[in-house]
C-alpha cells in the first residue's frame, strides 16, 4: 500500500469514539451541525446549507485536552457540554455552555470503566439529559440540568466492567442498551457464548435480553430519525486503518446488518438532514466537510462544506447495487498528479488574505490520495506558498472541527496496552511502517516509522506493557522515516511485541504502538 498524504483540519479531542450526533436547534425539521472554530474559540451551530444559527464561546480551560466538547440543547436553544476529566482517575466534571455564557457544572464522579451519555431522554426535546454509568452498573440520570425542571434519577443496570452501554428506544420508552460481547463460558467445554444485549427501560425498569449477530468495536451510536431514536438500530465503527473506516448499521431485533465503508478518520452522524426517502440519514464527514447519505438505500443526497455542493442521486460513490455500504473498500491505487489548478486557487486566496477560502480549498486536498512522491511535491509547493510547513498550517487556528457524539467511554475498549493512545497496523505497505529482524548495516532489529510520525523516542514492550529496551534513534532514512535500532537480532526477542513511540504533536504528546513479530519482516 502506498503511503498517502492527507491534509487534516484537526482539533484533537480526548474521546474514544469519533462519531457524531445531530440535533435540530432551529426547529425547521432538519438536523443541524455543531463545529468548533479555532480562530474564534467558539462553537458554531449551522444548518447543512451553512447558515449560522448561533455561536457559543468556549473558555480555554473547557476546550483543551483533557476536555471534550459535545453538542446539546438547553431550554430549547443550542448548548455545548464540556466534559473535563482528570487524566489518571478520570474524575469527570460536566460544564454547560450556551450563547448566554457558562451556566454551571456537575461533578460526575469517576468515569474509569464507566460511560457518559448526553442524549435527550425524557421526550421534551428542550434540554439534553445526562446519564452516567459506573463500572458496576450504578447509574445516575440528570434530567434537564440547570433548569427549573432539573431532577436526578438513580437506578442500577445489569452492566459489568467490560460491557458497553448506550441508549435506544424500546417498547415506546428510552432504554439503556447494554452490550455483552461473546467470550468463553466457565464450563469445562469452554463453549463460546453469544453476543447479548440487555434492554432496560429508563422509566419502567423493564428488562429484556436479546442475542445478536455482528461486531461491536466502539460504543454503538443510536440511529436517529426526526430527532428520535429508531428502536434497536445502531451505527458502530468496528475497524479503522489508514485506508478506510468500516462500520456496521445493525438492527438488533431482526439481526440485519449493513456494512458501511468510508474514508479513514471519518465520522458518522445519524440524523434527518434532507428528509424524504427513509428519513434515516447519516453525515459521513472528515473534519469540516462531508456527504449525506440515505442510511437505508446508501444513496448520496448532498455534499456538505464544499463549494461544489449538489443534491440528488448517486455520483458513483453510493451503493454498488446491493453490496452494502456507501462505497466499497478503497483500492490500492494512489493519485500521482499534482492538482495545479487547485494549488493556484489556494495561492490566490492566500495572497488575498481570504482565510475562509484557504480553509475550504486546503480541506478539499484531503480527498486526494497522493502517491508518496507526489505528496512530497505538493508539500513543497504549499511550503513555498505559506512560507511555513503545511502540516503546521493545517493545525493552525483558522480551521474548525465538527463536534463528537455525546458518548464518552472510560472503558479500555481497544485493549491498548502500556498507555498506548493508538495501536496502528504494522502491515501498511511500502514506505509506511517497517520492522525487520536484521538491519542491512548492523544485523540487528531495525524499525522505521511512517514519515508522517514526528517521534525520536521509542521502546520495545511486551504484550503486558513491560518495557524490554529503549531503541536507539538514528535519524530519518529510507523515505524520510524515523529510524530506530535495537540491541539484538529479532530472533533474540519473543515472537509478539509492541513498538511503542512517543510522538510530539501540536496538541502535545501521543503514544503510538505497532504490534510486530520481530522474527520476520513486518511491512
Amino acid at each position: 500500500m502506498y503511503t498517502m498524504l492527507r491534509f487534516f483540519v484537526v482539533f484533537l479531542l480526548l474521546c474514544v469514539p469519533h462519531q457524531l450526533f445531530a440535533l435540530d436547534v432551529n426547529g425547521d425539521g432538519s438536523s443541524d451541525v455543531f463545529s468548533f472554530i479555532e480562530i474564534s474559540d467558539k462553537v458554531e451551530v449551522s444548518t447543512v446549507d451553512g447558515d449560522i444559527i448561533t455561536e457559543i464561546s468556549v473558555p480555554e480551560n473547557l476546550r483543551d485536552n483533557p476536555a471534550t466538547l459535545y453538542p446539546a440543547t438547553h431550554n430549547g436553544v443550542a448548548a455545548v457540554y464540556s466534559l473535563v476529566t482528570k487524566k489518571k482517575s478520570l474524575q469527570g466534571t460536566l460544564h454547560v455552555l450556551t450563547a448566554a455564557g457558562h451556566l454551571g457544572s456537575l461533578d460526575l464522579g469517576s468515569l474509569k470503566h464507566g460511560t457518559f451519555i448526553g442524549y435527550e431522554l425524557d421526550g421534551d426535546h428542550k434540554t439534553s439529559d445526562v446519564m452516567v454509568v459506573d463500572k458496576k452498573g450504578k447509574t445516575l440520570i440528570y434530567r434537564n440540568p440547570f433548569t427549573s425542571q432539573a431532577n436526578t434519577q438513580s437506578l442500577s443496570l445489569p452492566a459489568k466492567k467490560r460491557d458497553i452501554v448506550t441508549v435506544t428506544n424500546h417498547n415506546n420508552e428510552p432504554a439503556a442498551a447494554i452490550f455483552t460481547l461473546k467470550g468463553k463460558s466457565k464450563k469445562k467445554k469452554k463453549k463460546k457464548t453469544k453476543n447479548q444485549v440487555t434492554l432496560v427501560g429508563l422509566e419502567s425498569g423493564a428488562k429484556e435480553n436479546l442475542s445478536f449477530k455482528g461486531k461491536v468495536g466502539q460504543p454503538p451510536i443510536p440511529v436517529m430519525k426526526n430527532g428520535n431514536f429508531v428502536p434497536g438500530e445502531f451505527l458502530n465503527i468496528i475497524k479503522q486503518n489508514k485506508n478506510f473506516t468500516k462500520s456496521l448499521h445493525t438492527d438488533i431485533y431482526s439481526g440485519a446488518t449493513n456494512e458501511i465503508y468510508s474514508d479513514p478518520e471519518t465520522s458518522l452522524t445519524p440524523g434527518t438532514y434532507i428528509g424524504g426517502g427513509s428519513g434515516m440519514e447519516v453525515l459521513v464527514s472528515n473534519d469540516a466537510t462531508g456527504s449525506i447519505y440515505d442510511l437505508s438505500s446508501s444513496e448520496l443526497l448532498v455534499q456538505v462544506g464544499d463549494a461544489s455542493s449538489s443534491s440528488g442521486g448517486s455520483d458513483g460513490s453510493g451503493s454498488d447495487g446491493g453490496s452494502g455500504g456507501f462505497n466499497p473498500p478503497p483500492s490500492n491505487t494512489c493519485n500521482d498528479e499534482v492538482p495545479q489548478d487547485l494549488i493556484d486557487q489556494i495561492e490566490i486566496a492566500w495572497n488575498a488574505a481570504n482565510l475562509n477560502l484557504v480553509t475550504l480549498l486546503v480541506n478539499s486536498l484531503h480527498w486526494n490520495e497522493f502517491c508518496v512522491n507526489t505528496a512530497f511535491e505538493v508539500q513543497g509547493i504549499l511550503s513555498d506558498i505559506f512560507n511555513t510547513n503545511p502540516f503546521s498550517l493545517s493545525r493552525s487556528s483558522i480551521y474548525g472541527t465538527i463536534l463528537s457524539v455525546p458518548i464518552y467511554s472510560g472503558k479500555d475498549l481497544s485493549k491498548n496496552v502500556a498507555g498506548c493512545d493508538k495501536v496502528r497496523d504494522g502491515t501498511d505497505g511500502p514506505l509506511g511502517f517497517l520492522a525487520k529482524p536484521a538491519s542491512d548495516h548492523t544485523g540487528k532489529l531495525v524499525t522505521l516509522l511512517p514519515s508522517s510520525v514526528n517521534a525520536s523516542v521509542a521502546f520495545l514492550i511486551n504484550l503486558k506493557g513491560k518495557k524490554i529496551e529503549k531503541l536507539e534513534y538514528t535519524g530519518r532514512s529510507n523515505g524520510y522515516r524515523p529510524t530506530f535500532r535495537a540491541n539484538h537480532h529479532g530472533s533474540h526477542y519473543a515472537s509478539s511485541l509492541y513498538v511503542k513511540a512517543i510522538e510530539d504533536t501540536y496538541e502535545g504528546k501521543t503514544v503510538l504502538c505497532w504490534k510486530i513479530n520481530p522474527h520476520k519482516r513486518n511491512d
Side-chain angles (χ1 to χ4, degrees):
M1 180 63 62
Y2 291 94
T3 297
M4 301 173 184
L5 177 65
R6 292 182 177 275
F7 294 85
F8 294 105
V9 186
V10 178
F11 178 74
L12 294 182
L13 301 178
L14 180 64
C15 181
V16 173
H18 287 277
Q19 298 159 315
L20 309 171
F21 170 60
L23 296 167
D24 177 13
V25 173
N26 60 358
D28 64 357
S30 298
S31 300
D32 302 310
V33 180
F34 288 63
S35 302
F36 179 75
I37 309 301
E38 287 191 71
I39 193 171
S40 63
D41 295 332
K42 293 180 179 179
V43 169
E44 185 180 278
V45 185
S46 62
T47 65
V48 172
D49 295 327
D51 297 328
I52 298 176
I53 300 171
T54 189
E55 294 179 326
I56 301 171
S57 296
V58 184
E60 182 176 0
N61 65 315
L62 298 185
R63 65 174 183 265
D64 290 341
N65 189 356
T68 308
L69 303 179
Y70 297 113
T73 56
H74 184 270
N75 274 338
V77 301
V80 171
Y81 283 173
S82 173
L83 177 62
V84 180
T85 56
K86 293 183 180 180
K87 194 165 185 179
K88 293 184 178 181
S89 65
L90 291 187
Q91 290 292 124
T93 304
L94 180 70
H95 298 262
V96 182
L97 305 165
T98 67
H102 182 259
L103 301 186
S105 61
L106 285 172
D107 181 5
L108 303 179
S110 176
L111 295 174
K112 194 168 186 178
H113 306 298
T115 303
F116 161 89
I117 296 172
Y119 284 92
E120 159 64 41
L121 297 175
D122 60 8
D124 66 3
H125 293 283
K126 291 183 177 181
T127 300
S128 297
D129 305 306
V130 173
M131 186 168 83
V132 180
V133 185
D134 70 13
K135 62 183 179 182
K136 295 182 179 180
K138 181 181 179 181
T139 303
L140 289 175
I141 301 177
Y142 301 89
R143 301 186 185 275
N144 306 304
F146 299 101
T147 70
S148 58
Q149 295 81 36
N151 66 84
T152 303
Q153 175 188 357
S154 177
L155 67 157
S156 181
L157 297 177
K160 299 178 182 178
K161 183 176 178 179
R162 292 291 302 174
D163 290 350
I164 301 173
V165 182
T166 184
V167 287
T168 187
N169 188 287
H170 178 63
N171 289 337
N172 298 315
E173 67 171 316
I178 305 165
F179 286 81
T180 300
L181 306 186
K182 65 183 179 182
K184 301 286 187 178
S185 69
K186 293 183 179 180
K187 296 180 180 180
K188 290 184 179 180
K189 294 184 179 181
K190 294 186 176 181
K191 185 178 180 180
K192 286 187 176 181
T193 60
K194 294 182 179 180
N195 287 336
Q196 178 177 287
V197 59
T198 301
L199 300 168
V200 182
L202 298 182
E203 297 171 0
S204 66
K207 300 177 184 178
E208 183 174 348
N209 295 324
L210 299 174
S211 296
F212 74 97
K213 296 180 180 179
K215 298 180 180 179
V216 176
Q218 296 179 350
I221 305 305
V223 172
M224 309 293 291
K225 181 178 180 179
N226 299 323
N228 298 306
F229 300 127
V230 178
E233 295 196 25
F234 298 92
L235 287 174
N236 178 41
I237 291 178
I238 60 173
K239 182 178 181 180
Q240 286 182 304
N241 58 33
K242 64 175 292 183
N243 302 312
F244 62 88
T245 296
K246 179 181 178 181
S247 309
L248 280 183
H249 174 204
T250 302
D251 183 333
I252 61 173
Y253 296 125
S254 68
T257 61
N258 180 38
E259 291 184 352
I260 299 170
Y261 290 94
S262 54
D263 282 345
E265 305 293 337
T266 50
S267 299
L268 305 178
T269 315
T272 303
Y273 299 90
I274 309 299
S278 70
M280 295 186 298
E281 299 163 0
V282 60
L283 169 61
V284 180
S285 63
N286 189 301
D287 307 316
T289 60
S291 306
I292 295 174
Y293 294 85
D294 184 280
L295 196 53
S296 295
S297 68
S298 297
E299 179 186 6
L300 173 65
L301 302 176
V302 69
Q303 301 282 351
V304 178
D306 191 300
S308 61
S309 296
S310 60
S311 62
S314 172
D315 61 355
S317 60
S319 173
D320 60 0
S323 65
F326 302 139
N327 52 283
S331 68
N332 292 347
T333 60
C334 62
N335 183 5
D336 62 358
E337 295 184 4
V338 174
Q340 192 58 53
D341 290 344
L342 180 57
I343 289 175
D344 290 342
Q345 294 178 55
I346 292 173
E347 184 171 14
I348 293 171
W350 179 260
N351 293 335
N354 188 340
L355 299 184
N356 288 331
L357 183 56
V358 170
T359 301
L360 177 65
L361 295 173
V362 175
N363 280 351
S364 65
L365 280 173
H366 159 73
W367 304 107
N368 293 273
E369 295 186 335
F370 295 116
C371 301
V372 61
N373 292 335
T374 309
F376 285 120
E377 186 175 353
V378 171
Q379 177 178 345
I381 294 171
L382 291 182
S383 295
D384 291 338
I385 293 174
F386 300 131
N387 195 29
T388 185
N389 187 306
F391 287 113
S392 297
L393 178 75
S394 71
R395 299 188 180 108
S396 71
S397 61
I398 66 173
Y399 299 115
T401 300
I402 299 173
L403 301 192
S404 299
V405 65
I407 294 181
Y408 175 93
S409 178
K411 300 178 185 296
D412 182 17
L413 299 178
S414 62
K415 299 182 181 179
N416 292 354
V417 299
C420 300
D421 296 318
K422 299 178 182 179
V423 175
R424 293 188 172 181
D425 186 0
T427 56
D428 54 2
L431 295 180
F433 176 86
L434 169 66
K436 60 181 183 177
S439 163
D440 296 337
H441 299 290
T442 66
K444 300 176 182 178
L445 177 68
V446 62
T447 297
L448 283 73
L449 307 184
S451 60
S452 60
V453 174
N454 181 28
S456 59
V457 178
F459 304 88
L460 288 179
I461 59 175
N462 65 20
L463 299 186
K464 294 183 179 181
K466 183 179 179 181
K467 185 173 73 173
I468 298 172
E469 70 179 64
K470 184 177 181 179
L471 300 175
E472 179 188 3
Y473 177 62
T474 57
R476 289 179 177 259
S477 66
N478 193 5
Y480 199 61
R481 291 180 288 179
T483 303
F484 298 87
R485 302 186 186 279
N487 295 329
H488 306 279
H489 187 277
S491 61
H492 173 81
Y493 305 97
S495 61
S496 189
L497 300 173
Y498 284 100
V499 173
K500 176 181 176 181
I502 313 300
E503 181 181 33
D504 293 312
T505 68
Y506 179 81
E507 293 83 10
K509 293 186 182 296
T510 302
V511 181
L512 305 177
C513 295
W514 290 262
K515 190 175 183 179
I516 67 168
N517 179 352
H519 299 175
K520 66 179 184 177
R521 185 183 180 94
N522 302 258
D523 194 0

